[in-house]
Amino acid sequence: MAQTLIFACQQFGQERTPWLQSPNISILPNNQTIQVPSVASVSSSSTLTKRTLHLIPLVTGLSISDALGTGIAKSKRNNFKESHRSAESFGASKQKDGSPSEPTVIAGGAMREATPSRGHASIKLGGGQTLQQEEKQLQSCMQMDNQLPPKKVPGFCSFRYGLSFLVHCCNVITAAQRTCLNLTMVVMVNSTDPHGLLNTSTEKLLGNIKNPVYNWSPDIQGLILSSTFYGFVIIQVPVGYFSGIYSTKKMIGFALCLSSVLSLLIPPAAGTGVAWVIVCRAVQGVAQGIVGTAQFEIYAKWAPPLERGRLTSISTSGFLLGPFIVLLVTGVICESLGWPMVFYIFGACGCALCLLWFILFYDDPKDHPCISISEKEYITSSLVQQVSSSRQSLPIKSMLKSLPVWAIFIGTFAFFWSHIITTLYTPLFINSTLHVNIKENGFLSSLPYLFGWICGILAGQLSDFFLTRNILSVIAVRKLFTAAGFLLPAIFAVCLPYLSSSFYGIVIFLILAGATGSFCLGGILINGLDIAPRYFGFIKACSTLSGMLGGLIASTLTGLILRQDPESAWFKTFVLMAAINVTGLIFYLIVAKAEIQNWAKERQHTRL
């Protein structure tokens, strides 16, 4: 049985390093093609997949090093272009007497006859030389390849990092627009003044012009504050689906513009009637849900696999910096300029940022006119086998049967549970244990957001550092940072009730409990990009919906615990949070994966 092993080698771009183009290998026994799954374009300095390597000794009798040396190395440096060209497909050959011939290796277009010897093949070259005679020349040429300086690719000061920072700014603005009403509500409502009081001083009337006061009941206030949440929830799944079909640039740009315009309209809407405020906030929640979910589709085309942690952590950390800025400046703005200026300032910033978005962002790096050629080639070549321009139908049944997807859903549920408790209930815990005034409480409550922002960016940098240096595998990195983001907040939170006598101890542990959860930005929160880059937007939307369900249950249950058992309420709350985190972590560690799942692949077979 004649067998032929084909190595197709050619130059790639302006590089002098030979590249193996996919599909690399075709085995042709008796004119029948056995197609090997295509391998992404890799250079000679890269590592071929095990599925390709293990076929070489089985087919030819060659050792892997001999086969690769024959296929990749060039005999002479000045004849590189001529000796390395695409190999043609060859059928099974027979000897003159009709007996099957020995395996033949075609490398760079030159046919070389192989005869088994001592378990390996002794290859006779076209010019009468043996492989042993040219081994030194081949090794010297390969050493020359290795000594060539690698092609420089723009790093931190590159367009993809600038794009990530632009998304970061969008998240800061949308988070600020969403949370600023939580603080301005304090000065917007004055329930102590009787409605319709006529005798008021001139100073108070002037103050009411700058800071209008409304008599909204606690129920109305709760409805206004929660209306954004309901708008955010209902849009998750639709935007996750359509983000892979329609232009992400237009979806985020128009949604950011709508959210900003509605922020400008909230002060006049409050003067018109409470119903208009609720409508504005609900629609604003829909717009912010589009911005928060559609952005994850960006990294399927813009983030190289070894930079996903950095790019996503930079952008996503904006959701933590926004509330910190609001807690820091809202009080000052309300006192000096009045609470309406809070909405005007953040709304105007959003409108200006919207213009920058439409100018600077493009859906695909191939279409961007400003990005450098080297960076464009780096991004597209690193993602050549992971995304395609065509969006296939959603494999809903396969997703529901996929345990790695359920690991993300359950883990996100646990993450939001602990995040809501360590951030939403921080002011209440500080007030009940430290007994500080409102300004000190606001400052201390903002610190977990600031340090969470720092930890989130640090997590992205460290996760990609471990990957680029080959210290850990992708799945090991995801599990490591997920474990840190789940266990550390649980440990610090459980210790809080035992530190009631130490002011600084409570502050430090409270900050660490709220900040260390951001390590999940390098773990479970981007794991969907590993297992299904083509459907990452939809998976992220569904996991966010699962997380919001966890946050809603956590908030409701914590409120019940605090009302029924004030003495040991915080201990029970934090222990329950730790149990939820550990349970979600165990399930994630058991079934989580980091390889592209079969249902998320685009199967294409090419016959040589």
Side-chain angles (χ1 to χ4, degrees):
M1 178 184 298
Q3 295 175 329
T4 303
L5 178 66
I6 298 174
F7 287 95
C9 303
Q10 66 181 33
Q11 274 191 307
F12 184 80
Q14 299 299 321
E15 298 186 50
R16 298 174 66 187
T17 305
W19 284 63
L20 296 179
Q21 302 297 325
S22 60
N24 307 94
I25 300 174
S26 180
I27 308 166
L28 308 171
N30 295 335
N31 294 325
Q32 295 180 357
T33 301
I34 301 176
Q35 293 180 344
V36 179
S38 62
V39 182
S41 300
V42 294
S43 65
S44 60
S45 61
S46 303
T47 303
L48 291 176
T49 60
K50 294 180 180 179
R51 292 187 300 179
T52 304
L53 283 177
H54 83 274
L55 291 169
I56 296 176
L58 295 177
V59 176
T60 65
L62 289 169
S63 66
I64 294 176
S65 60
D66 288 342
L68 292 179
T70 304
I72 298 176
K74 51 192 172 293
S75 59
K76 294 182 180 180
R77 165 60 58 187
N78 56 2
N79 292 328
F80 171 74
K81 292 183 179 180
E82 291 77 14
S83 63
H84 290 77
R85 56 184 179 269
S86 300
E88 299 178 355
S89 302
F90 287 85
S93 61
K94 294 185 179 181
Q95 296 179 347
K96 293 181 179 180
D97 56 0
S99 61
S101 62
E102 296 297 335
T104 302
V105 177
I106 296 114
M111 183 178 294
R112 308 181 181 192
E113 214 174 298
T115 304
S117 175
R118 295 192 306 272
H120 299 290
S122 175
I123 299 178
K124 184 179 292 185
L125 303 178
Q129 296 175 307
T130 63
L131 179 63
Q132 289 79 4
Q133 290 174 344
E134 285 199 358
E135 185 69 25
K136 293 182 180 180
Q137 293 181 357
L138 297 177
Q139 289 179 354
S140 63
C141 290
M142 294 177 72
Q143 289 177 358
M144 291 173 63
D145 277 339
N146 294 332
Q147 292 174 357
L148 290 174
K151 194 173 183 178
K152 292 184 179 180
V153 178
F156 186 78
C157 297
S158 63
F159 199 89
R160 62 189 183 280
Y161 280 91
L163 172 64
S164 182
F165 180 73
L166 178 62
V167 180
H168 172 87
C169 295
C170 294
N171 293 335
V172 170
I173 291 298
T174 54
Q177 292 172 354
R178 181 172 61 253
T179 57
C180 64
L181 185 61
N182 298 346
L183 291 181
T184 58
M185 185 68 74
V186 177
V187 293
M188 291 173 66
V189 177
N190 187 358
S191 58
T192 58
D193 287 346
H195 183 66
L197 187 62
L198 297 177
N199 295 326
T200 54
S201 63
T202 304
E203 181 180 356
K204 191 170 184 179
L205 288 174
L206 293 175
N208 287 342
I209 294 175
K210 185 173 68 174
N211 285 303
V213 178
Y214 307 102
N215 293 321
W216 294 336
S217 66
D219 293 338
I220 295 297
Q221 296 178 41
L223 185 59
I224 293 174
L225 294 174
S226 62
S227 57
T228 304
F229 173 80
Y230 292 113
F232 198 92
V233 168
I234 63 175
I235 200 62
Q236 287 300 303
V237 174
V239 73
Y241 176 79
F242 288 111
S243 62
I245 300 176
Y246 297 105
S247 170
T248 307
K249 174 180 182 177
K250 294 179 181 178
M251 291 180 66
I252 296 179
F254 287 122
L256 178 61
C257 180
L258 178 60
S259 177
S260 303
V261 170
L262 290 172
S263 181
L264 297 173
L265 294 177
I266 285 179
T272 304
V274 66
W276 290 105
V277 179
I278 295 174
V279 171
C280 286
R281 292 285 291 179
V283 179
Q284 192 177 42
V286 172
Q288 293 173 358
I290 295 174
V291 175
T293 302
Q295 65 182 263
F296 292 102
E297 193 71 25
I298 295 172
Y299 301 107
K301 293 183 178 180
W302 278 92
L306 297 180
E307 296 181 359
R308 289 171 176 168
R310 295 190 188 103
L311 296 175
T312 55
S313 64
I314 290 173
S315 61
T316 311
S317 61
F319 290 120
L320 298 172
L321 186 61
F324 171 75
I325 294 176
V326 167
L327 291 170
L328 206 62
V329 304
T330 299
V332 178
I333 296 175
C334 289
E335 290 183 357
S336 58
L337 302 175
W339 66 259
M341 289 302 299
V342 175
F343 296 95
Y344 294 147
I345 291 174
F346 288 126
C349 291
C351 292
L353 187 61
C354 181
L355 295 177
L356 289 177
W357 174 265
F358 280 111
I359 294 173
L360 298 177
F361 180 77
Y362 281 75
D363 290 319
D364 199 310
K366 298 177 183 178
D367 303 327
H368 206 292
C370 299
I371 188 174
S372 64
I373 297 177
S374 60
E375 184 178 4
K376 185 185 299 184
E377 290 180 353
Y378 169 66
I379 296 173
T380 55
S381 63
S382 64
L383 300 174
V384 66
Q385 267 201 319
Q386 300 189 29
V387 296
S388 64
S389 57
S390 60
R391 170 70 179 265
Q392 300 176 354
S393 60
L394 282 172
I396 300 295
K397 292 183 179 179
S398 299
M399 288 184 181
L400 294 176
K401 295 178 181 178
S402 176
L403 287 178
V405 173
W406 280 104
I408 295 175
F409 290 169
I410 295 176
T412 307
F413 178 92
F415 170 78
F416 271 77
W417 185 296
S418 61
H419 179 72
I420 287 296
I421 292 177
T422 55
T423 56
L424 186 63
Y425 285 91
T426 294
L428 185 59
F429 179 78
I430 292 175
N431 183 65
S432 62
T433 56
L434 300 181
H435 307 289
V436 296
N437 58 46
I438 187 64
K439 290 184 178 180
E440 293 175 344
N441 194 329
F443 174 74
L444 294 176
S445 299
S446 67
L447 293 179
Y449 289 103
L450 175 62
F451 285 91
W453 174 71
I454 296 173
C455 288
I457 295 178
L458 181 63
Q461 297 293 326
L462 287 177
S463 63
D464 286 349
F465 173 81
F466 290 146
L467 293 177
T468 53
R469 299 298 180 90
N470 293 322
I471 299 175
L472 294 173
S473 63
V474 177
I475 187 59
V477 169
R478 300 293 179 251
K479 291 181 177 181
L480 173 64
F481 282 89
T482 301
F486 279 15
L487 293 180
L488 292 179
I491 293 173
F492 292 128
V494 170
C495 294
L496 280 173
Y498 300 99
L499 301 172
S500 57
S501 60
S502 174
F503 178 86
Y504 293 104
I506 289 178
V507 171
I508 292 174
F509 273 69
L510 193 64
I511 293 173
L512 292 175
T516 51
S518 298
F519 283 120
C520 288
L521 292 178
I524 188 173
L525 297 183
I526 60 170
N527 193 196
L529 192 56
D530 300 320
I531 65 172
R534 185 178 290 111
Y535 307 112
F536 181 48
F538 184 77
I539 292 177
K540 190 64 180 179
C542 295
S543 63
T544 302
L545 192 62
S546 171
M548 288 183 171
L549 178 61
L552 182 62
I553 296 175
S555 177
T556 304
L557 193 57
T558 301
L560 294 175
I561 294 174
L562 291 175
R563 284 196 297 268
Q564 293 179 359
D565 190 6
E567 295 182 359
S568 60
W570 290 113
F571 176 78
K572 293 180 179 179
T573 299
F574 293 141
V575 168
L576 179 60
M577 183 194 82
I580 296 294
N581 276 16
V582 172
T583 303
L585 176 62
I586 291 175
F587 184 79
Y588 181 81
L589 294 178
I590 293 175
V591 303
K593 302 292 183 182
E595 302 84 12
I596 300 180
Q597 301 300 292
N598 292 330
W599 47 266
K601 294 179 180 178
E602 183 179 9
R603 298 182 180 180
Q604 292 181 351
H605 299 287
T606 305
R607 178 171 178 150
L608 285 177

